Each structure stands twice: as structure tokens, then as C-alpha cells.
């Protein structure tokens, strides 16, 4: 491999580092109407009346839309393949408001000030209803979040709006009760992970206009352009053919932009007025109504014998969908199916779940997509088991890890074809000098250094469902155009997919032009989510290249008057294997643009019956201050098996970034609501994400395996990297303080209170802790 | 009110509302490298220079910048390209949305270190200087690698 597995620079890097106007708000027309929302101050209410007379008098106001003005179709804003597993439970504007910040009216005007003034003049009479703000009380509650008759679940996910259920399922293998009873040791814990905000640096933004043909054009910062087209068509009551979606550069997504968030409001304005419109979410709106990670409570029962052989794993998950069910039925599946599968030798597994509606803001996709919550719970339980068995947690894992060739019972019965997890653990162990540092060292001066670890897996795309395609064209002078439908959100997928094409076409990457997504012209791709792009779209690129080379050979054979079979392609020319005839790609490109010959292009699509998991081991060393509970990260060593890293630099950044996000989630990122359901942590003042002073030293290595079904042996990397920090940190904190934390974030306050509680206990109970 | 502001060596005279923030003034005049990432002076994305000092343009009233010289990344294309190439070599620009503000701060840091005679800054000194520039993609390690290599380049800190 010459191009693949090398760290070339991202193709768009020069534009990005020189601050070129490439993002949605930079390229929006300057005459676009400014669109903003009047948002609900109540967590649960019915709109009795809306009076917009005074607001319409504000100079510059172009239109004010309320629920009566718009389509009443129900749809989901979750960007998933149709039929979406997420319930069809919303309208662009609804009479019933289900969380603070739900849209009440769309206001558009010539400038922001007028719009804000108009919003303040809209008079709304609300019938304020009692909300459900505790997700533990939602199921079968007499208050219904979605009582409406046209609520609909398109897939069998166990949803029932009359029970506030967004999804419910039971998966069972073996005799879980019997196995747990027979176990010599059972860990039985309840873990609580809270909502997390993705906080990509570019907030949600969209502009819309009517094109020359009178069609609605939506330019948006989205990971799922084709899903946006479909969802917008249903929401606005338009034929899909009347909508075009264009994705410029995206300032990060992390799953937040796998939902339709800002698109429909300016689109409704453009349809109502015929004028260009744009909506840029404020950071506050991005926090309060931007589909964060689902809050979950996970009950784990983990059974083993005294030798540390895991015999049974049971996980029950209660997931908080919030006001709408976006991604609710699907995130929860990864909680159990990804985490349990890594311990593949148990005799019994059970995983069941309820996903409930509440009057909290709705959840959505966030990197890791449920697996992150699941791994916090199960890996914490595994670390607790190691403590109880007085066994090194690495040794405990070594005994129980899934091996290549095994059928993974808890992972849809898929067979594991590639895995270097054991090597990952060994390398991380070596990098951190684990044997000398486990479990902790007292540094004196009230500081303790401790070490903790966790492992994780994820998938590569959604098996048997999502699809990607690519299209290649030969241009005159012999350069290529690669058309893709996957949305580069900054990770560099345009570059790595071009690297794969260059590898197949045996040329330099700069011979290949890549085009961002435009649903009018790009080949179909379900979008960039579920860790799918490298694997699914990558395979589509390879298939396309194979067909494309065949077509170039066929055309060359006609020009050279010889058989296809005699010809070979070497990157710069097509030549006769045992003869003298040849044609360069440049000549072929030029010839193909003349009558008598054919323009050469090829397009193939790919889907996968399997979703091969990447693996990762993470070891963290912390320093804990005994007097304050403050945790400082000294070192985070991560070793990843993503098959073949297509671009090691970009894979490394993905890993470092995911770990930093995981550290934030583990230690301080905290979504808090007041008792009326209003978010209190709605800015970077209150919701602290890691700065460069908070992440310590993150070190990344790769232990490559070769995935036979992957493009050049590659698996995914995007999501897995966020899964180990929380459980590894929980373990390190326990090793330093003997405080067992089961709720995120693990703030210094919780640690200190835990240490004080331990001291109190020790005074009364000489048998020690657990 | 009327303001006269020099941006990247070009004079701009404009009639502005008194409460106009500098970030909105600059974007209105086409300096799109200035990004809005928050509204609370927390993320560093809107960093520009006023008289060579880095400031958050979301926390400055345009009126207060009257008569001063502002530099945005559009006015530092060469410097941005040089440091940017070190970032690109690490893959550190990622989504790129925080890059302009970050690069403005790095270039200001370099000048300040030079002024103070700090020829061999530690990672800790660098991290402290740049702690107000948030990034959600990279995890910051690649930034540090790029900065270290950049400062040690030929013609770097003396």
C-alpha cells in the first residue's frame, strides 16, 4: 500500500487554516431573512391562543408562523434510513409543548433586532400542564407526553405512546436466573449516566432559498444530507424532487447533526415567503434544544466464579428519550449488545430495556451512541469484580475476552474476524508501567496517584441496512472526479476516501477531485454516522474503482483494437501485456471527450451484512488530592485496533479527541435542570468542556489487525474512542480513594463526600468497605 | 454612530448601532474567518487582534474599537499558512471551525514570548496561554505537537 496507511494532509486543510469562508453562515446570502423561534418557557403546556398582531407591526418583520400555519404531518427528525425506528412523533410546530424550548412560533425578519423585538411582542396563552421530569416515573404514568392520535411507530421497537414508551425489548440467551444463582460472586450495581452536550464548535445552522427552478434548496451543516431531504419533504408536505440539500464544510457534528435540528424553520419561512432565510442557533439553543446524549440508568448483574470466569451478564437499561423519540429506540441497543459481546464466554446473557418519554429536552445521537453508557456500566462492574476477587483487572479481562473466530452471542451472532484487543491491552500496560503503578501510590503531600483501565468495542456501520455509493469520472487530461454522498464533518473522510481511490487507481491523491455532498448530484449515501464512513463508503469506493478500471480497459481496447483481456492498467496508462500498444490515461481522457468514444464513469454502492467491531484499551493515571477530591489526569494511554488505519494522523486525532470528550463526560460535563425543567447549564460558563489544561497527556498507539471485509483491512474509529475514559477514570478514582462512583460526572465534590463518608463508616465498621 | 476602524490595513467608516459587537461588525464587513462559537467569551473562536493584542471580538463593543487597528486572519494569510502547514501535518485542524481564533492566539503568543525573551517555552506555558481557545475535535495534543515544531522551525523563536 502506497497511499493508504500514510498520513497525508487533509485536502481542505489550507482553506481551514487560513480562515476561508466555507461554512454555512459564511456563504449564506446577505439578504437572507433572519429566522428565530419563540420557544416554550414551560416543560409541558398546551397553546390556548397566539396573538401575533403587535409583533407583525415591527418594521422589518416578514412572517410569523404558528402551528396553525403549517403541515400537521408527524415525522421524526432522527436522520436514519427509512422507515426510521424512531417514532413519528413531532410536527415543525405543535400545539402541545413537551419541553422548555419547544418551538411556539417561527419569526422571520430583515435583521436580528427586529426579530427579537417581534418575539417579545407575541402574546401566547398557555394551558400549563404537569410535567414528568423524572425519567424513573415516566413509564405508565397517567400524564401522557404523546397522547395524539397520529403518533406512529413505523418499526416494531416496542413503542407505545399510551405508556410513554418510546421503545422496549428483551434479549435473552441461556438461563440467566439459574446461572446468576449458581455464581460464586455476583456484582449487582445501578449506574447513572446523564445527558451530555456534543458542543461541536459550530452551532446548528442552515440557510434556505428557492433555486432557479423554484425548488427548495437547503444548505445546512448536517451529517445526513439525504435524510434531511426525506424528512424535510414529509415535514413540509413537498415532493422529494422539489428539495435539494447541500452540505458545505461542517464545524463538527459528533452525532448532534445526525438529526434535523435547524433545517425546517428557515425552510418553512422560505416556502411561506419565497425569500432566502437563515437560522443560526445560539450556543444556548444548541445546548437546550440540540439533542444531547441520552440519560440512562443501567442495572448490571455480573456473575462469575472465584477464578474470575464470567458466567452470566444481565443489563437492564432505562433510557430517557425526553420529549421526542429521536434515536431513542436505537441508541439503547448498543448499551448491551456492544458492551456484553466483549465478554463472550458467559453461559447466559440478558439485556432488556425501556426507553421512556419525559418532558426533558429530547436526546439524540452522540459519538458512542449508547455503547458509551453501556461500557461505563459494564466495565465499572468488571473492575469491581476484579477488586472483589483480588485479581488484577487486566488478568480478569484476559481470561474472558472474545477471540477471533468466535461467534458473538450478544452481538447479533456475528463472527469476529479480526481483533487485536489482547495486544492493545498489553501495549497500554507497557506504556503506563501498569505493574508498578497498579493500584495506587501515595505521593505524600496529600496526593495519591492511581491507575485504572477499561476496554471497549464499537461497530463499523449498521449491518444490512445502511448503504453508501461512490461515483468516479474520468476527465480530459486524465484526472478523476470522485463523487461521494458521505458528509465530511471535519474528520477528513473526503481525504481518506480519496486516498483509497488513489490506491486503487495507482495515482497521487491530487489527481482526484472530491466533491462535497449535494443531493442533486452526489450518489446516495445514508450519511456519516454509526462509524460507517471508512468501512461502508470506503468499500463503495473500492467497488467503484474496480468497475471504473474495467470500463477504462474496455474503452481502451476499442481504441487500441485489441482484446480487453490483453490489457492492463498501471496507474498512468493502459497497455498491452504482451505487445507494444498502449494509451495513457491523459490520452484516454481526451479521447473520451470526442465523438466516437464514450465518457467514462462508474458508480457502485455497498452495504454490509456485518458490522466488524474496532477495539480499544484505555489506561488512565490520575493524581487525586485527598483534601479536595480534585482529579488531575497525568497520563491517558490508548491503544486502538481499527484494522488498518487509512490515515494514521487523522486516526490519531480522532482518538485523542474522543478521549478528551470522554474525560469531560467522566469528570465534569453536567447537564442540570431546575425544578421546572429549565436547563441551568446552557452556556460554556456553566457547562464546562475540557480545555487544554484539563486533559493531561493523551498518548495513542495502534495495534492493527486486518479486517477481511474492510477496505484495505480497515474498521471504524470515530466512536469507539470515547468509550473507555469514564470507566477507566471511575476505577482509578476508586483505586485512589476507595470511593465507588456509579453516577457521572464524577466531580471532585462527589469524590470528597465519598471519602468523608468512608471515614465515617470506618469509624463505625471495622470490617472495611466493599 | 459613526466609527472609523482600520481592519487589516484598510480603513472602514460605518454608521453602527451603539450596541453592535465587534464580531458582528467584522462579519458584516466580510471578515468571515471570525467565528461565533459561544456568546459568553468562553470559546476563543472570535479572537482578533486590536493593536496587536488578542481580544475576543464577541466581548468588545465596536464603538470601543473606534480609531483602532484590527487584524483578523484575513490580514495574516502568510503567517497563517506557515503555522497552518504545521497543523495540517499533524491533522490538527480537523473541522477547522476553531482554527482561525486558535491561530490568531498562537501567533500572538509567539510574539509575546519573543518580547519576553521566552525562547524555549514549556508545554505548560503554552497550554496556559491558549487555555481560552477551546477545541472539541482534537483533544489538543496535536495542537501542542504542531506548536512545538513550529516554534523550533528555522526562523522560529530566538
Amino acid at each position: 500500500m502506497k497511499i493508504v496507511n500514510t498520513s497525508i494532509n487533509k485536502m481542505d486543510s489550507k482553506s481551514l487554516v487560513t480562515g476561508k469562508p466555507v461554512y454555512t453562515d459564511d456563504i449564506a446570502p446577505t439578504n437572507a431573512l433572519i429566522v428565530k423561534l419563540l420557544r416554550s418557557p414551560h416543560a409541558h403546556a398546551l397553546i390556548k391562543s397566539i396573538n401575533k398582531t403587535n409583533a407583525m407591526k415591527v418594521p422589518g418583520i416578514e412572517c410569523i408562523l404558528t402551528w396553525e400555519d403549517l403541515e400537521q404531518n408527524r415525522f421524526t427528525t432522527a436522520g436514519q434510513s427509512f422507515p426510521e425506528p424512531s417514532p413519528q412523533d413531532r410536527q415543525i410546530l405543535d400545539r402541545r409543548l413537551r419541553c422548555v424550548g419547544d418551538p411556539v412560533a417561527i419569526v422571520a425578519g430583515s435583521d436580528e433586532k427586529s426579530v427579537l423585538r417581534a418575539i417579545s411582542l407575541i402574546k401566547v396563552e398557555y394551558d400549563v400542564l404537569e410535567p414528568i421530569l423524572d425519567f424513573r416515573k415516566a413509564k405508565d404514568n397517567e400524564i401522557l407526553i404523546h397522547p395524539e392520535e397520529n403518533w406512529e411507530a413505523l418499526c416494531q421497537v416496542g413503542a407505545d405512546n399510551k405508556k410513554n414508551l418510546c421503545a422496549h425489548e428483551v434479549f435473552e440467551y441461556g438461563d440467566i436466573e439459574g446461572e446468576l444463582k449458581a455464581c460464586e460472586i455476583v456484582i449487582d450495581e445501578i449506574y447513572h449516566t446523564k445527558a451530555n452536550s456534543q458542543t461541536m464548535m459550530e452551532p446548528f445552522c442552515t440557510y434556505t432559498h428557492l433555486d432557479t427552478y423554484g425548488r427548495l434548496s437547503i444548505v445546512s451543516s448536517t451529517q445526513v444530507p439525504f435524510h434531511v431531504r426525506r424528512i424535510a419533504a414529509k415535514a413540509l408536505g413537498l415532493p422529494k424532487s422539489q428539495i435539494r440539500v447541500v452540505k458545505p464544510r461542517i464545524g463538527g457534528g459528533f452525532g448532534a447533526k445526525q438529526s434535523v435540528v435547524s433545517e425546517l424553520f428557515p425552510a418553512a419561512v422560505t416556502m411561506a415567503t419565497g425569500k432566502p432565510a437563515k437560522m443560526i442557533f445560539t450556543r444556548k439553543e444548541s445546548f437546550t434544544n440540540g439533542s444531547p446524549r441520552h440519560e440512562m440508568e443501567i442495572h448490571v448483574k455480573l456473575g462469575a466464579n472465584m477464578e474470575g470466569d464470567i458466567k452470566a451478564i444481565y443489563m437492564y437499561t432505562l433510557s430517557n428519550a425526553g420529549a421526542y423519540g429521536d434515536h431513542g429506540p436505537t441508541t439503547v441497543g448498543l448499551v448491551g449488545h456492544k458492551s456484553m459481546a466483549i465478554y463472550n464466554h458467559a453461559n447466559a446473557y440478558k439485556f432488556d430495556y425501556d426507553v421512556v418519554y419525559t418532558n426533558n429536552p429530547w436526546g439524540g445521537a452522540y459519538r458512542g451512541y449508547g455503547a458509551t453508557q453501556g461500557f461505563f456500566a459494564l466495565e465499572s462492574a468488571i473492575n469491581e469484580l476484579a477488586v472483589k476477587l483480588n485479581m488484577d483487572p487486566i488478568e480478569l479481562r484476559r481470561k474472558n475476552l472474545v477471540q477471533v473466530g468466535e461467534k458473538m452471542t450478544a452481538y447479533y451472532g456475528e463472527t469476529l474476524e479480526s481483533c487485536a484487543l489482547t495486544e492493545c491491552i498489553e501495549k497500554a500496560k507497557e506504556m503506563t508501567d501498569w505493574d508498578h503503578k497498579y493500584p495506587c501510590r501515595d505521593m505524600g503531600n496529600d496526593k495519591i496517584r492511581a491507575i485504572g483501565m477499561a476496554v471497549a468495542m464499537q461497530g463499523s456501520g449498521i449491518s444490512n441496512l445502511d448503504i453508501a455509493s461512490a461515483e468516479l469520472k474520468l476527465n480530459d487530461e486524465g484526472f478523476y472526479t470522485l463523487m461521494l454522498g458521505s458528509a465530511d464533518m471535519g474528520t477528513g473522510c473526503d481525504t481518506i476516501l480519496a486516498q483509497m481511490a488513489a490506491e486503487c487507481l495507482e495515482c497521487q491523491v491530487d489527481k482526484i477531485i472530491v466533491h462535497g455532498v449535494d443531493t442533486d448530484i452526489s450518489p446516495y449515501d445514508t450519511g456519516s454516522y454509526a462509524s460507517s464512513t471508512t468501512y461502508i463508503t470506503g468499500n463503495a469506493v473500492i467497488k467503484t474503482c474496480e468497475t471504473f478500471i474495467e470500463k477504462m480497459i474496455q474503452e481502451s481496447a476499442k481504441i487500441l483494437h485489441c482484446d480487453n483481456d490483453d490489457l492492463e492498467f498501471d496507474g498512468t496508462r493502459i497497455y498491452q501485456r504482451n505487445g507494444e500498444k498502449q494509451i495513457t490515461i491523459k490520452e484516454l481522457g481526451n479521447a473520451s471527450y470526442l465523438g466516437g468514444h464514450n465518457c467514462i464513469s462508474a458508480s457502485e454502492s455497498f452495504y454490509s451484512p456485518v458490522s466488524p467491531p474496532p477495539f480499544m484499551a484505555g489506561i488512565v493515571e490520575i493524581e487525586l488530592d485527598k483534601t479536595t477530591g480534585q482529579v488531575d489526569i497525568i497520563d491517558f494511554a490508548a491503544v486502538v485496533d481499527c484494522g488498518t488505519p487509512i490515515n494514521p494522523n487523522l486516526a490519531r486525532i480522532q482518538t485523542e479527541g474522543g478521549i478528551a470528550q470522554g474525560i469531560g463526560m467522566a469528570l465534569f460535563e453536567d447537564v442540570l435542570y431546575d425544578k421546572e425543567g429549565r436547563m441551568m447549564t446552557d452556556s460554556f460558563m456553566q457547562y464546562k468542556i475540557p480545555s487544554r489544561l484539563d486533559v493531561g497527556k493523551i498518548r495513542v498507539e495502534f495495534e492493527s489487525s486486518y479486517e477481511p471485509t474492510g477496505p484495505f483491512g480497515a474498521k471504524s474509529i470515530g466512536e469507539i474512542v470515547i468509550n473507555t475514559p469514564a470507566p477507566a477514570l471511575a476505577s482509578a478514582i476508586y483505586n485512589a480513594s476507595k470511593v465507588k462512583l456509579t453516577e457521572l460526572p464524577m466531580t471532585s465534590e462527589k469524590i470528597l463526600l465519598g471519602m468523608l463518608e468512608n471515614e465515617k463508616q470506618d469509624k463505625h465498621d471495622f470490617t472495611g468497605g466493599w | 454612530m459613526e466609527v472609523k476602524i482600520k481592519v487589516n490595513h484598510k480603513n472602514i467608516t460605518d454608521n453602527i448601532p451603539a450596541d453592535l459587537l465587534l464580531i458582528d461588525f467584522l462579519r458584516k464587513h466580510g471578515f468571515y474567518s471570525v467565528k461565533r462559537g459561544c456568546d459568553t467569551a468562553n470559546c476563543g473562536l472570535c479572537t482578533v487582534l486590536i493593536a496587536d493584542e488578542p481580544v475576543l471580538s464577541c466581548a468588545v463593543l465596536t464603538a470601543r474599537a473606534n480609531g483602532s487597528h484590527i487584524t483578523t486572519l484575513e490580514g495574516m494569510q502568510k503567517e497563517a499558512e506557515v503555522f497552518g502547514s504545521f497543523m495540517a501535518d499533524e491533522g490538527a485542524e480537523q473541522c477547522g471551525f476553531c482554527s482561525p481564533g486558535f491561530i490568531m492566539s498562537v501567533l500572538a503568543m509567539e510574539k509575546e514570548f519573543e518580547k519576553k525573551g521566552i525562547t524555549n517555552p514549556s508545554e505548560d506555558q503554552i497550554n496556559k496561554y491558549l487555555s481560552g481557545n477551546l477545541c472539541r475535535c482534537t483533544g489538543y495534543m496535536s495542537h501542542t505537537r504542531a506548536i512545538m515544531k513550529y516554534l523550533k522551525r528555522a526562523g522560529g523563536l530566538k
Side-chain angles (χ1 to χ4, degrees), chain A residues 540-556:
Chain A
V541 167
I542 292 176
K543 265 179 84 176
T544 301
C545 288
E546 285 166 359
T547 307
F548 182 74
I549 291 169
E550 264 174 50
K551 285 190 169 181
M552 286 199 297
I553 287 177
Q554 280 166 17
E555 197 59 29
S556 302

mmCIF file of all heavy atoms in Angstrom, chain A residues 540-556:
data_model
loop_
_atom_site.group_PDB
_atom_site.id
_atom_site.type_symbol
_atom_site.label_atom_id
_atom_site.label_comp_id
_atom_site.label_asym_id
_atom_site.label_seq_id
_atom_site.Cartn_x
_atom_site.Cartn_y
_atom_site.Cartn_z
ATOM 1 N N ALA A 540 -17.484 1.055 -0.832
ATOM 2 C CA ALA A 540 -18.160 1.511 -2.062
ATOM 3 C C ALA A 540 -17.147 2.131 -3.023
ATOM 4 O O ALA A 540 -17.228 1.931 -4.244
ATOM 5 C CB ALA A 540 -19.246 2.531 -1.707
ATOM 6 N N VAL A 541 -16.173 2.856 -2.467
ATOM 7 C CA VAL A 541 -15.143 3.476 -3.313
ATOM 8 C C VAL A 541 -14.325 2.389 -4.014
ATOM 9 O O VAL A 541 -14.061 2.467 -5.224
ATOM 10 C CB VAL A 541 -14.231 4.404 -2.473
ATOM 11 C CG1 VAL A 541 -12.977 4.805 -3.244
ATOM 12 C CG2 VAL A 541 -15.003 5.649 -2.038
ATOM 13 N N ILE A 542 -13.954 1.363 -3.266
ATOM 14 C CA ILE A 542 -13.138 0.293 -3.872
ATOM 15 C C ILE A 542 -13.914 -0.414 -4.989
ATOM 16 O O ILE A 542 -13.396 -0.641 -6.090
ATOM 17 C CB ILE A 542 -12.692 -0.715 -2.798
ATOM 18 C CG1 ILE A 542 -11.700 -0.024 -1.850
ATOM 19 C CG2 ILE A 542 -12.062 -1.961 -3.430
ATOM 20 C CD1 ILE A 542 -11.254 -0.879 -0.685
ATOM 21 N N LYS A 543 -15.176 -0.737 -4.708
ATOM 22 C CA LYS A 543 -16.004 -1.396 -5.736
ATOM 23 C C LYS A 543 -16.119 -0.515 -6.974
ATOM 24 O O LYS A 543 -16.033 -0.998 -8.117
ATOM 25 C CB LYS A 543 -17.424 -1.635 -5.189
ATOM 26 C CG LYS A 543 -17.638 -3.011 -4.592
ATOM 27 C CD LYS A 543 -19.055 -3.147 -4.051
ATOM 28 C CE LYS A 543 -20.071 -3.534 -5.115
ATOM 29 N NZ LYS A 543 -21.423 -3.740 -4.497
ATOM 30 N N THR A 544 -16.308 0.776 -6.737
ATOM 31 C CA THR A 544 -16.453 1.715 -7.852
ATOM 32 C C THR A 544 -15.164 1.752 -8.687
ATOM 33 O O THR A 544 -15.208 1.733 -9.926
ATOM 34 C CB THR A 544 -16.793 3.124 -7.330
ATOM 35 O OG1 THR A 544 -18.012 3.036 -6.585
ATOM 36 C CG2 THR A 544 -16.944 4.125 -8.450
ATOM 37 N N CYS A 545 -14.032 1.786 -7.993
ATOM 38 C CA CYS A 545 -12.750 1.834 -8.706
ATOM 39 C C CYS A 545 -12.568 0.588 -9.573
ATOM 40 O O CYS A 545 -12.072 0.672 -10.701
ATOM 41 C CB CYS A 545 -11.587 1.960 -7.719
ATOM 42 S SG CYS A 545 -11.485 3.580 -6.959
ATOM 43 N N GLU A 546 -12.940 -0.562 -9.033
ATOM 44 C CA GLU A 546 -12.780 -1.810 -9.804
ATOM 45 C C GLU A 546 -13.584 -1.757 -11.105
ATOM 46 O O GLU A 546 -13.075 -2.066 -12.190
ATOM 47 C CB GLU A 546 -13.208 -3.004 -8.941
ATOM 48 C CG GLU A 546 -12.159 -3.350 -7.879
ATOM 49 C CD GLU A 546 -12.680 -4.283 -6.790
ATOM 50 O OE1 GLU A 546 -13.873 -4.658 -6.829
ATOM 51 O OE2 GLU A 546 -11.889 -4.615 -5.889
ATOM 52 N N THR A 547 -14.833 -1.337 -10.973
ATOM 53 C CA THR A 547 -15.684 -1.235 -12.169
ATOM 54 C C THR A 547 -15.131 -0.185 -13.130
ATOM 55 O O THR A 547 -15.125 -0.374 -14.350
ATOM 56 C CB THR A 547 -17.118 -0.861 -11.754
ATOM 57 O OG1 THR A 547 -17.545 -1.789 -10.779
ATOM 58 C CG2 THR A 547 -18.072 -0.877 -12.927
ATOM 59 N N PHE A 548 -14.662 0.897 -12.551
ATOM 60 C CA PHE A 548 -14.155 2.018 -13.344
ATOM 61 C C PHE A 548 -12.931 1.596 -14.168
ATOM 62 O O PHE A 548 -12.826 1.901 -15.360
ATOM 63 C CB PHE A 548 -13.810 3.168 -12.386
ATOM 64 C CG PHE A 548 -13.322 4.409 -13.050
ATOM 65 C CD1 PHE A 548 -14.195 5.243 -13.744
ATOM 66 C CD2 PHE A 548 -11.986 4.789 -12.967
ATOM 67 C CE1 PHE A 548 -13.741 6.419 -14.341
ATOM 68 C CE2 PHE A 548 -11.531 5.950 -13.557
ATOM 69 C CZ PHE A 548 -12.413 6.766 -14.251
ATOM 70 N N ILE A 549 -12.034 0.860 -13.524
ATOM 71 C CA ILE A 549 -10.831 0.398 -14.241
ATOM 72 C C ILE A 549 -11.240 -0.540 -15.378
ATOM 73 O O ILE A 549 -10.725 -0.446 -16.502
ATOM 74 C CB ILE A 549 -9.843 -0.275 -13.261
ATOM 75 C CG1 ILE A 549 -9.255 0.782 -12.319
ATOM 76 C CG2 ILE A 549 -8.711 -0.994 -14.013
ATOM 77 C CD1 ILE A 549 -8.481 0.225 -11.132
ATOM 78 N N GLU A 550 -12.202 -1.408 -15.105
ATOM 79 C CA GLU A 550 -12.707 -2.296 -16.168
ATOM 80 C C GLU A 550 -13.230 -1.493 -17.354
ATOM 81 O O GLU A 550 -12.970 -1.812 -18.510
ATOM 82 C CB GLU A 550 -13.872 -3.138 -15.625
ATOM 83 C CG GLU A 550 -13.480 -4.519 -15.150
ATOM 84 C CD GLU A 550 -14.679 -5.201 -14.501
ATOM 85 O OE1 GLU A 550 -15.761 -5.223 -15.126
ATOM 86 O OE2 GLU A 550 -14.522 -5.670 -13.366
ATOM 87 N N LYS A 551 -13.979 -0.443 -17.036
ATOM 88 C CA LYS A 551 -14.552 0.382 -18.110
ATOM 89 C C LYS A 551 -13.465 1.106 -18.894
ATOM 90 O O LYS A 551 -13.557 1.251 -20.110
ATOM 91 C CB LYS A 551 -15.535 1.398 -17.532
ATOM 92 C CG LYS A 551 -16.858 0.779 -17.132
ATOM 93 C CD LYS A 551 -17.843 1.889 -16.806
ATOM 94 C CE LYS A 551 -19.248 1.327 -16.675
ATOM 95 N NZ LYS A 551 -20.217 2.387 -16.387
ATOM 96 N N MET A 552 -12.424 1.565 -18.176
ATOM 97 C CA MET A 552 -11.318 2.233 -18.892
ATOM 98 C C MET A 552 -10.635 1.234 -19.820
ATOM 99 O O MET A 552 -10.246 1.580 -20.939
ATOM 100 C CB MET A 552 -10.306 2.812 -17.893
ATOM 101 C CG MET A 552 -10.791 4.060 -17.192
ATOM 102 S SD MET A 552 -9.447 5.040 -16.461
ATOM 103 C CE MET A 552 -8.780 3.932 -15.263
ATOM 104 N N ILE A 553 -10.510 0.004 -19.340
ATOM 105 C CA ILE A 553 -9.860 -1.016 -20.181
ATOM 106 C C ILE A 553 -10.714 -1.325 -21.411
ATOM 107 O O ILE A 553 -10.210 -1.393 -22.539
ATOM 108 C CB ILE A 553 -9.566 -2.283 -19.330
ATOM 109 C CG1 ILE A 553 -8.404 -1.989 -18.373
ATOM 110 C CG2 ILE A 553 -9.279 -3.492 -20.219
ATOM 111 C CD1 ILE A 553 -8.039 -3.101 -17.425
ATOM 112 N N GLN A 554 -12.034 -1.430 -21.182
ATOM 113 C CA GLN A 554 -12.922 -1.705 -22.320
ATOM 114 C C GLN A 554 -12.811 -0.611 -23.384
ATOM 115 O O GLN A 554 -12.729 -0.885 -24.578
ATOM 116 C CB GLN A 554 -14.373 -1.758 -21.847
ATOM 117 C CG GLN A 554 -14.757 -3.090 -21.205
ATOM 118 C CD GLN A 554 -16.076 -2.977 -20.460
ATOM 119 O OE1 GLN A 554 -16.847 -2.052 -20.665
ATOM 120 N NE2 GLN A 554 -16.325 -3.937 -19.576
ATOM 121 N N GLU A 555 -12.814 0.623 -22.940
ATOM 122 C CA GLU A 555 -12.762 1.737 -23.889
ATOM 123 C C GLU A 555 -11.403 1.765 -24.597
ATOM 124 O O GLU A 555 -11.320 2.015 -25.804
ATOM 125 C CB GLU A 555 -13.020 3.051 -23.128
ATOM 126 C CG GLU A 555 -13.396 4.225 -23.992
ATOM 127 C CD GLU A 555 -14.654 4.017 -24.844
ATOM 128 O OE1 GLU A 555 -15.554 3.249 -24.425
ATOM 129 O OE2 GLU A 555 -14.715 4.580 -25.949
ATOM 130 N N SER A 556 -10.359 1.458 -23.817
ATOM 131 C CA SER A 556 -9.015 1.424 -24.416
ATOM 132 C C SER A 556 -8.910 0.322 -25.459
ATOM 133 O O SER A 556 -8.263 0.493 -26.504
ATOM 134 C CB SER A 556 -7.957 1.196 -23.330
ATOM 135 O OG SER A 556 -8.024 2.189 -22.364
#
